[in-house]
């Protein structure tokens, strides 16, 4: 695995005066980035940004980088899932991919897909449109995806094949995790271990399983959606850190695949990169942030809190949730229950419309946001559950996974009993 370690020796995060935590030796040598790129939700990319990103992906495919990343992921998969390494490994992994794309165009950033917004009907998302990432595979043609950016790709591992997808329910996909539930995950996680379990056992698995095909294998990076999906997970990890950066920047606990207690000076699996090198955005070689976070550029180093500030995202959905019965808010949204100013970094309840089209789709008619349908009040659907086969493939703890699924179902029960009207539900044809 020396190639992976040497291709992009990327680091992230120095440790200057982080209150209550002494950073490992070496972290203070990482330099602040001269410029920080912003990863955006993919539907907000302009036509020029989309074309640049699409072109870089195609060049990476032609130079067989896609084959390489898929091969590498399969080689290490059993050690980087279902344990503490999951978030830190995939932060480095997505950053390495982004840096490869930047060899072809230094101005691009890896976008993310906010899958929660599309939770009710993922297959209907504009992200999976024919001109973008393509839809389901063709069952009459080896389940090959024939549209979108990878519609003509031929992958070479473990054998020569097209990009495959096999939706879990024929031409549709059952419900994923909602913005409401992921907001609860962010607000209730008090340790890194809590957050890792909350992200990996919920939102991580369903897109892999439901899109099927290559996404439902350990060489899942063959599917370009993999990168957008994992950038979204990393976005929530970064937001959770930035809620209280003085104490969370270097928060890292839990055990690795062998049951060993993890530490910040551990090497990330199959690399020569220490964990502490990937724990702070805007330092070292990981010079990126997300559109939901403003990376700090202040010369004042006294507090990380001053160096990472949230972008205010006023939301009708937030106000609706806050008006739920107090016992429901306290149980599922502890930060809302405290009152005061809402921290956008731990709030996924935005005003994003699930029918929103890609901004790059300039030929489309003007978009009109939908209005919540009263017939859907108190009718939030249950999230699909992971299959036993998927849980086994990932080496996950089945009891832990089922516990998280039960938490999600209990939230749906509580919200429906309170006659909550989710703004992300639409009347399906």
């Amino acid at each position: 695995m020396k190639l992976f370690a040497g291709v992009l020796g990327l680091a992230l995060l120095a440790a200057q005066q982080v209150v209550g935590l002494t950073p490992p030796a070496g972290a203070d040598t990482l330099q602040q980035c001269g410029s920080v790129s912003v990863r955006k939700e993919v539907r907000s990319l302009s036509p020029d940004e989309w074309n640049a990103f699409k072109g870089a992906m195609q060049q990476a495919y032609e130079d067989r980088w896609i084959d390489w990343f898929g091969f590498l992921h399969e080689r290490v998969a059993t050690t980087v899932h279902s344990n503490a390494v999951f978030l830190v490994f995939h932060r480095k992994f997505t950053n390495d991919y982004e840096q490869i794309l930047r060899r072809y165009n230094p101005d691009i950033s890896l976008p993310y897909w906010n899958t929660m917004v599309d939770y009710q009907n993922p297959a209907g998302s504009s992200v999976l449109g024919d001109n973008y990432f393509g839809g389901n595979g063709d069952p009459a043609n080896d389940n090959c995806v024939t549209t979108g950016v990878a519609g003509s790709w031929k992958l070479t591992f473990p054998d020569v094949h097209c990009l495959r997808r096999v939706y879990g329910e024929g031409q549709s996909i059952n419900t994923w995790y909602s913005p409401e539930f992921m907001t609860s995950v962010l607000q209730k996680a008090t340790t890194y271990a809590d957050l890792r379990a909350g992200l990996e056992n919920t939102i991580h698995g369903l897109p892999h399983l439901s899109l099927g095909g290559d996404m439902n294998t350990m060489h899942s990076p063959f599917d370009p959606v993999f990168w957008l999906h994992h950038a979204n997970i990393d976005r929530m990890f970064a937001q959770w850190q930035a809620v209280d950066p003085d104490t969370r920047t270097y928060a890292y606990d839990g055990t690795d695949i062998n049951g060993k207690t993890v530490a910040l000076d551990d090497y990330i699996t199959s690399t020569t990169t220490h964990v502490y090198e990937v724990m702070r955005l805007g330092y070292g070689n990981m010079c990126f942030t997300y559109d939901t976070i403003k990376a700090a550029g202040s010369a004042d180093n006294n507090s990380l809190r001053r160096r990472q500030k949230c972008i205010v995202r006023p939301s009708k959905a937030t106000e609706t949730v806050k008006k739920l019965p107090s016992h429901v808010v306290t149980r599922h949204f502890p930060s809302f229950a405290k009152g005061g100013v809402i921290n956008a970094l731990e709030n996924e309840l935005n005003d994003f419309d699930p029918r929103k089209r890609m901004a790059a789709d300039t030929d489309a008619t003007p978009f009109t946001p939908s209005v919540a349908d009263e017939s859907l009040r108190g009718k939030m659907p249950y999230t699909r559950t992971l299959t036993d086969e998927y849980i086994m493939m990932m080496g996950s703890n089945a009891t832990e996974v089922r516990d998280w699924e039960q938490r999600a179902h209990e939230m749906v029960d509580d919200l429906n009993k309170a006659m909550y009207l989710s703004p992300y539900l639409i009347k399906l044809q």
Side-chain angles (χ1 to χ4, degrees):
M1 296 304 166
K2 291 184 178 179
L3 179 56
F4 179 51
V7 167
L8 303 161
L10 302 180
L12 194 156
L13 289 162
Q16 298 178 7
Q17 303 180 23
V18 181
V19 176
L21 182 63
T22 302
D28 55 352
T29 66
L30 299 177
Q31 298 298 307
Q32 184 175 2
C33 298
S35 62
V36 176
S37 65
V38 178
R39 293 180 176 179
K40 302 178 181 179
E41 214 283 335
V42 65
R43 280 165 284 203
S44 69
L45 297 183
S46 69
D48 287 345
E49 289 172 331
W50 166 251
N51 288 329
F53 180 60
K54 179 175 66 172
M57 284 192 292
Q58 180 63 27
Q59 288 178 284
Y61 159 73
E62 292 172 359
D63 288 343
R64 298 189 62 186
W65 281 108
I66 307 303
D67 291 309
W68 163 247
F69 280 106
F71 165 78
L72 175 62
H73 190 267
E74 180 157 292
R75 288 289 299 273
V76 303
T78 57
T79 61
V80 300
H81 293 92
S82 306
N83 65 81
V85 179
F86 173 73
L87 290 176
V88 293
F89 172 85
H90 285 89
R91 172 171 284 181
K92 175 173 171 54
F93 197 57
T94 54
N95 192 54
D96 286 355
Y97 175 71
E98 182 177 62
Q99 295 308 309
I100 290 296
L101 297 184
R102 286 185 153 203
R103 293 184 177 186
Y104 305 107
N105 187 330
D107 295 325
I108 67 170
S109 296
L110 178 65
Y112 65 90
W113 178 15
N114 185 336
T115 58
M116 295 89 77
V117 171
D118 298 303
Y119 84 100
Q120 179 195 19
N121 180 31
S125 174
S126 58
V127 176
L128 299 177
D130 289 346
N131 294 326
Y132 298 98
F133 290 90
N136 200 9
D138 180 359
N141 183 25
D142 197 25
N143 294 309
C144 294
V145 175
T146 58
T147 60
V149 295
S152 62
W153 286 8
K154 294 293 182 184
L155 294 315
T156 63
F157 177 80
D159 51 30
V160 177
H161 68 284
C162 62
L163 173 66
R164 299 186 182 107
R165 289 195 193 128
V166 184
Y167 285 2
E169 289 72 42
Q171 293 301 313
S172 63
I173 297 174
N174 276 348
T175 309
W176 288 352
Y177 284 91
S178 67
E180 290 89 348
F181 186 72
M182 297 317 299
T183 295
S184 181
V185 169
L186 290 175
Q187 292 190 7
K188 296 175 78 171
T190 58
T191 67
Y192 172 91
D194 289 343
L195 183 74
R196 195 281 308 168
L199 295 178
E200 188 173 10
N201 288 314
T202 63
I203 194 171
H204 170 248
L206 282 181
H208 280 282
L209 175 65
S210 300
L211 292 176
D214 285 301
M215 270 290 276
N216 193 23
T217 69
M218 290 305 195
H219 49 263
S220 48
F222 285 168
D223 193 322
V225 169
F226 171 95
W227 303 104
L228 279 67
H229 175 46
H230 275 275
N232 189 44
I233 293 171
D234 184 67
R235 174 182 67 87
M236 287 184 280
F237 173 27
Q239 287 180 195
W240 179 84
Q241 290 179 296
V243 167
D244 188 1
D246 288 340
T247 60
R248 292 183 179 179
T249 295
Y250 291 101
Y252 187 56
D253 62 320
T255 58
D256 64 15
I257 192 64
N258 297 313
K260 174 181 172 292
T261 300
V262 295
L264 287 165
D265 59 358
D266 290 344
Y267 287 111
I268 296 175
T269 304
S270 298
T271 79
T272 56
T273 301
H274 295 96
V275 170
Y276 65 75
E277 296 181 75
V278 297
M279 299 298 278
R280 185 178 178 188
L281 298 182
Y283 278 73
N285 294 322
M286 280 193 178
C287 300
F288 69 90
T289 186
Y290 292 91
D291 59 0
T292 51
I293 302 172
K294 184 193 296 183
S298 169
D300 180 3
N301 291 327
N302 288 333
S303 174
L304 288 175
R305 189 181 303 280
R306 297 191 189 103
R307 302 179 61 75
Q308 294 184 344
K309 300 178 181 179
C310 67
I311 296 174
V312 177
R313 296 181 291 170
S315 163
K316 294 180 181 178
T318 299
E319 295 305 314
T320 301
V321 167
K322 288 172 62 180
K323 293 176 182 177
L324 289 168
S326 59
H327 71 278
V328 175
V329 177
T330 299
R331 181 182 185 189
H332 299 292
F333 308 100
S335 296
F336 292 168
K338 294 176 182 177
V341 178
I342 300 299
N343 191 332
L345 293 168
E346 54 182 0
N347 181 17
E348 290 300 311
L349 296 169
N350 52 51
D351 287 326
F352 207 109
D353 193 295
R355 289 184 285 196
K356 182 178 176 63
R357 291 186 288 268
M358 300 282 284
D361 193 3
T362 56
D363 295 332
T365 56
F367 175 70
T368 302
S370 59
V371 177
D373 191 321
E374 280 293 329
S375 68
L376 299 175
R377 184 177 292 279
K379 295 182 179 179
M380 279 189 74
Y382 286 130
T383 299
R384 178 187 179 181
T385 57
L386 295 174
T387 63
D388 292 340
E389 292 78 10
Y390 179 85
I391 293 172
M392 184 177 298
M393 179 181 74
M394 301 304 295
S396 301
N397 182 313
T399 300
E400 185 177 275
V401 171
R402 299 307 182 203
D403 176 67
W404 279 98
E405 292 173 344
Q406 181 62 28
R407 297 186 202 189
H409 289 179
E410 289 174 359
M411 168 181 275
V412 169
D413 287 340
D414 285 349
L415 295 184
N416 284 342
K417 186 176 181 180
M419 296 304 292
Y420 170 71
L421 177 58
S422 173
Y424 309 102
L425 293 181
I426 59 177
K427 197 78 170 179
L428 300 178
Q429 301 298 321

